Amino acid sequence: MSSPVSDQLFARALQLIPGGVNSPVRAFRSVGGAPFFTRSAQGATLTTADGRELIDFVCTWGPAIHGHNHPVIKAAIAAALENGTSFGTPNPYEVEMAGLIVRFVPSIKKVRMCNSGTEATMSAIRLARGFTRRDKIIKFSGCYHGHSDSLLIKAGSGALTHGHPDSAGVPASFARETIVLPYNDRAALDAAFAANPDEIACVILEPYCGNVGFIMPDAGYLAYVREITAKHDTVLIFDEVMTGFRIARGGVQERENIVPDLTCLGKIIGGGLPVGAFGGRADIMDLLAPLGPVYQAGTLSGNPLAMAAGIAGLKLLEETDPYERLDTLGRRLRDAVLVAARAKGIPVQVPQCGSMFSIFFTDTPVRDYDTALKGDARLFVRFFRAALDGGVYLAPSAYEAGFLSTAHKDDVIDRSCEILSKAISGL
Ligand code: HOZ
C-alpha cells in the first residue's frame, strides 16, 4: 500500500516527535512499516492523508461508541463553544455530567472529573491509600491503567507491545509497593493477602481486560475479588476506562452485578474529547480536597467542551440502548474469523463481549497475560497487514482490543467479515 503523504508526514514527525507519535500505541513498530496519518473520520470510517478509506475497529481506542464525528456530539460541542472554552470556575455541565454518571454507574455516589484515564487511576489509588492509611497496592499482569509510576509494572498496552512492560524510570522503591499477580488466579490473591496482612490499600483491575488483548474473567472470579477485598478492608478499584458505558451502560459492574468501592472512567464519557473521572463510595470520595486531606486537582478538569461532548454521548446511549445490537455485530465478526480460521486450519481464539473483541492466534484459551503471550505474534502481523491492505484497520498490536461502534452497520460488518476472512485464508 503506497502512502506518500503519510510517509512524508511521518518522516518529518520522526525528526520532531519521539518515535514520530504522541502515544506509543499509534506506532507501527510491532507490525512493521510506518503508521498512516488520518485526515478525517466519519462514522465507522477513517480517511487517511492519502485519501484511502478504512473501516476502523480502533474507534480512537474506545471513545467512539457512536462512531466518529457523530452529528449530535458535534452539535453539542459547537453549542458549548459559543460560551467559551474553559472557565476555571465550576460550570453547569459538570453537575449534569456527575448526575448522569451517578445515575448510570451503580457503585458511584460521588464523582470527580479529571483529564485522562491515567489521572483517574493515579488519583483513585492515592485516595485508597489515604483512606486505608496503607501503602501497598495489587495490580494484575497485563492490566494497563495508564502511565503513572506505580502502575507501569507488568503493564499491557503499548508498554507490552513495545517490549517494556516494566518501564524504565520507575524508582525501585515505588515498584516495591506494587504487588503484581496473575489475573483470574484466586490462589495468587489469597497468597498475597496472607503475606501482607493489613498492608494492602487497594486492588485495582480492569474487570474485563482490554490492554493485553480482550480477556474475560472466569465465572465467579470478580465476585471472589470483591469478597476477599471486603474481608481485608482493602479498597476495590474497577478501572472501567475502557469498559465503562461500553460493555453496558453501567459498565462491567452492572453486567456482573459487582459493587466496587471506586471506579475509574474515561474515553466514552468525553465523547472524543480528553477526559477522565473517578468516583465511588461517598465516605471515600469525601476525603478528597477541599473536604479532606487527599489532594487532587486540574486546571482543565470538568472542561465545558469535554463535558458537553460527553453528556451528549451518554444521553445518546440512554436513548438508543445499543448494547444488544452491538453484541450481535460483535458475534458476527467473531464467527466470521472463527469460521475462516477453521477452514484454513489455523488455531485462533476470539474473546468477545458486546463491542469489544480480540483475535489471538493460539489454540490455548486466553485467560491471563501468559496465555495472551502464547498468541502467534508473527502470524498476527501478517493478518494485520492483509486486513489493512483489504481496507480494515485493526489496532497495530497483537495485545490490544478491537472496538465496534453503532456506525458499524450491517453492510459495514458484512464487508469487514469478507475482508478479515480473506486475510485469514491468505495466511
Ligand atoms: N488504553 C489505550 C490503548 N490500550 C490507550 C491509548 C493510548 O495509550 O494512546
Side-chain angles (χ1 to χ4, degrees):
M1 186 179 83
S2 131
S3 315
V5 182
S6 282
D7 290 349
Q8 207 179 359
L9 282 166
F10 192 54
R12 181 78 178 126
L14 281 171
Q15 293 167 349
L16 301 169
I17 304 170
V21 290
N22 280 315
S23 192
V25 296
R26 301 175 196 171
F28 272 35
R29 292 170 77 97
S30 77
V31 291
F36 61 84
F37 280 62
T38 300
R39 177 204 295 162
S40 64
Q42 190 67 47
T45 306
L46 295 180
T47 303
T48 72
D50 293 275
R52 229 185 135 218
E53 296 202 336
L54 298 170
I55 301 173
D56 178 23
F57 287 102
V58 179
C59 286
T60 186
W61 302 95
I65 193 165
H66 302 293
H68 293 286
N69 212 12
H70 192 284
V72 171
I73 296 178
K74 209 163 116 177
I77 297 170
L81 189 57
E82 288 301 310
N83 299 322
T85 55
S86 176
F87 308 137
T89 69
N91 70 64
Y93 298 104
E94 297 168 295
V95 186
E96 186 172 3
M97 172 61 89
L100 287 169
I101 291 175
V102 167
R103 182 148 67 86
F104 293 146
V105 184
S107 67
I108 298 186
K109 305 302 171 208
K110 286 195 173 181
V111 60
R112 169 70 59 88
M113 302 306 301
C114 51
N115 298 296
S116 67
T118 293
E119 283 185 36
T121 54
M122 177 183 79
S123 307
I125 286 173
R126 184 181 309 131
L127 183 55
R129 284 175 162 151
F131 177 71
T132 56
R133 296 167 191 270
R134 300 171 182 173
D135 291 339
K136 288 195 191 309
I137 66 170
I138 290 178
K139 83 171 278 285
F140 297 90
S141 39
C143 281
Y144 174 75
H145 307 286
H147 57 91
S148 65
D149 284 344
S150 321
L151 294 167
L152 282 180
I153 301 160
K154 273 250 178 159
S157 193
L160 172 61
T161 302
H162 299 300
H164 301 288
D166 305 297
S167 173
V170 174
S173 56
F174 286 26
R176 267 197 298 278
E177 305 295 353
T178 302
I179 299 166
V180 183
L181 302 179
Y183 180 78
N184 260 333
D185 184 338
R186 295 185 195 204
L189 262 179
D190 290 341
F193 274 102
N196 300 276
D198 300 324
E199 284 186 278
I200 299 169
C202 66
V203 170
I204 182 166
L205 79 165
E206 299 176 72
Y208 292 0
C209 304
N211 284 288
V212 59
F214 183 62
I215 303 180
M216 295 189 60
D218 293 345
Y221 177 67
L222 293 177
Y224 188 67
V225 177
R226 176 63 287 186
E227 187 188 315
I228 195 166
T229 46
K231 185 169 143 203
H232 291 275
D233 295 318
T234 291
V235 174
L236 176 59
I237 305 175
F238 270 15
D239 176 350
E240 297 229 46
V241 170
M242 267 191 185
T243 54
F245 293 92
R246 180 167 276 284
I247 289 297
R249 210 171 52 199
V252 172
Q253 58 194 271
E254 177 192 302
R255 189 170 191 273
E256 299 277 348
N257 199 20
I258 308 281
V259 182
D261 300 303
L262 295 176
T263 299
C264 301
L265 296 168
K267 301 203 189 266
I268 287 176
I269 60 165
L273 294 189
V275 86
F278 60 104
R281 281 168 46 183
D283 59 330
I284 303 181
M285 291 302 290
D286 282 346
L287 285 183
L288 282 175
L291 287 182
V294 179
Y295 201 73
Q296 185 277 336
T299 300
L300 292 173
S301 297
N303 174 266
L305 299 186
M307 295 301 94
I311 290 165
L314 298 191
K315 286 182 172 168
L316 261 182
L317 287 175
E318 185 172 32
E319 276 161 42
T320 56
D321 196 13
Y323 297 102
E324 241 183 79
R325 172 95 193 115
L326 286 169
D327 190 49
T328 305
L329 299 175
R331 274 187 279 123
R332 283 189 51 209
L333 203 68
R334 176 197 66 191
D335 291 348
V337 171
L338 289 174
V339 167
R342 199 171 305 134
K344 180 79 183 175
I346 293 177
V348 74
Q349 307 290 322
V350 190
Q352 172 268 334
C353 178
S355 58
M356 291 180 76
F357 67 94
S358 271
I359 300 169
F360 296 99
F361 292 107
T362 169
D363 52 12
T364 310
V366 178
R367 50 188 301 281
D368 56 16
Y369 180 90
D370 287 345
T371 44
L373 262 54
K374 284 194 188 301
D376 184 336
R378 285 208 196 132
L379 196 58
F380 177 86
V381 170
R382 287 171 53 210
F383 169 64
F384 168 86
R385 299 238 60 110
L388 190 61
D389 287 346
V392 163
Y393 176 51
L394 299 166
S397 161
Y399 310 114
E400 294 283 2
F403 299 96
L404 281 92
S405 77
T406 55
H408 290 79
K409 305 281 184 214
D410 277 316
D411 58 323
V412 178
I413 293 293
D414 287 344
R415 214 151 18 100
S416 306
C417 289
E418 257 174 54
I419 293 167
L420 295 183
S421 301
K422 198 168 153 213
I424 287 176
S425 56
L427 290 176

